């Protein structure tokens, strides 16, 4: 069993994030023939990217010692 895996990564399906990767991979497969689903996946990816960028900005500002405080 894989214990660490990033959400959104196609590299693992059985992991510690509650099956999110498997769901995303399944949605990507279905989106090949569903333009509405594809648009939703692109929006979700953009939201994830924005979240990572915000976390990075906070980390850069306060440093890793103070990040979770």
């Amino acid at each position: 069993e894989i214990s660490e895996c990033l959400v959104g990564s196609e590299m693992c399906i059985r992991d510690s994030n509650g099956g999110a990767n498997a769901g995303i991979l399944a949605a990507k497969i279905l989106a090949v023939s569903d333009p509405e689903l594809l648009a939703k996946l692109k929006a979700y990816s953009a939201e994830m990217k924005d979240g990572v960028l915000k976390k990075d900005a906070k980390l850069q500002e306060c440093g890793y010692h103070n990040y979770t405080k």
Side-chain angles (χ1 to χ4, degrees):
E1 182 173 304
I2 298 171
S3 62
E4 292 292 326
C5 190
L6 298 174
V7 172
S9 169
E10 295 89 354
M11 297 305 294
C12 57
I13 293 176
R14 185 173 177 193
D15 54 38
S16 62
N17 66 18
N21 288 338
I24 292 168
L25 179 57
K28 286 180 177 181
I29 293 168
L30 293 172
V32 169
S33 61
D34 186 338
E36 185 177 345
L37 181 57
L38 180 59
K40 289 179 181 181
L41 279 170
K42 287 182 178 184
Y44 177 70
S45 291
E47 287 176 23
M48 286 195 315
K49 180 180 178 180
D50 289 344
V52 169
L53 291 174
K54 287 177 184 176
K55 289 176 183 178
D56 178 59
K58 179 181 175 184
L59 179 62
Q60 297 300 320
E61 179 183 321
C62 66
Y64 72 93
H65 289 295
N66 299 315
Y67 180 77
T68 58
K69 293 180 182 178

